[in-house]
Amino acid sequence: MAGSTARSSVVRFCTWLLTAIFAIGLVGAASIVVSGWLIDGVEQANGSRRNAVERSALGDYFGAVSAIFSGLALLLLVTALLYQQRELRLQRTELALQREELAASRNELRRSAEADMRSLRVQLTQMAMADPALAAVWTTHHDEPDPAARRHLFANLIFSHFVLARS
């Protein structure tokens, strides 16, 4: 299990790394193509290559700074994506834990309701044992004397307790 998780993490990292390298290469190739197209346009607009070279000398002072900021922007973008992936993984884990907790809570509520039903049955049987008029409603043994009916109710109470305790 741990080896599988480690292997999965390595595969994900390699996938991200290859994707980043591919994206950098794609951006670099697009930059070269666009730069050639722009240089040709500047030469045509200014009349000659010499004029374009003189005017672009000023822009060359900022070329290195632009490259540094572009690299930093790409690095920050990749870092932000990695943090976002980590946060999403943590959120999925927390949601799974919440689902488990809700299932446990639902089971506990079911057990509580069953215990309440058992308690109610015990109370009803005790009321029938205490009052012969209520015992007549509870049982079908109307021709038995009161002590015998009460014994049957008590036996029913004990039997119900054993059956409900096993479930």
Side-chain angles (χ1 to χ4, degrees), residues 115-136:
D116 288 344
M117 289 299 289
R118 286 192 297 264
S119 175
L120 182 61
R121 180 169 175 82
V122 167
Q123 289 175 359
L124 289 172
T125 306
Q126 287 174 344
M127 289 171 57
M129 289 172 59
D131 188 357
L134 295 177

Side-chain angles (χ1 to χ4, degrees), residues 58-156:
L58 182 62
D60 287 342
Y61 290 118
F62 301 105
V65 174
S66 175
I68 290 172
F69 280 123
S70 295
L72 284 174
L74 181 63
L75 181 65
L76 290 174
L77 177 67
V78 170
T79 304
L81 288 174
L82 290 175
Y83 276 119
Q84 187 177 23
Q85 180 188 19
R86 186 175 133 219
E87 287 297 320
L88 286 173
R89 191 177 323 121
L90 290 173
Q91 187 177 20
R92 283 187 201 116
T93 303
E94 188 163 333
L95 285 173
L97 291 174
Q98 285 179 354
R99 269 188 244 119
E100 290 174 9
E101 189 65 33
L102 283 173
S105 177
R106 188 172 46 243
N107 288 338
E108 190 61 34
L109 284 172
R110 186 177 296 122
R111 269 184 12 132
S112 177
E114 289 172 358
D116 288 344
M117 289 299 289
R118 286 192 297 264
S119 175
L120 182 61
R121 180 169 175 82
V122 167
Q123 289 175 359
L124 289 172
T125 306
Q126 287 174 344
M127 289 171 57
M129 289 172 59
D131 188 357
L134 295 177
V137 173
W138 187 264
T139 66
T140 58
H141 305 289
H142 299 292
D143 54 344
E144 291 183 1
D146 184 40
R150 290 181 68 178
R151 283 193 302 270
H152 284 120
L153 286 171
F154 186 71
N156 186 7

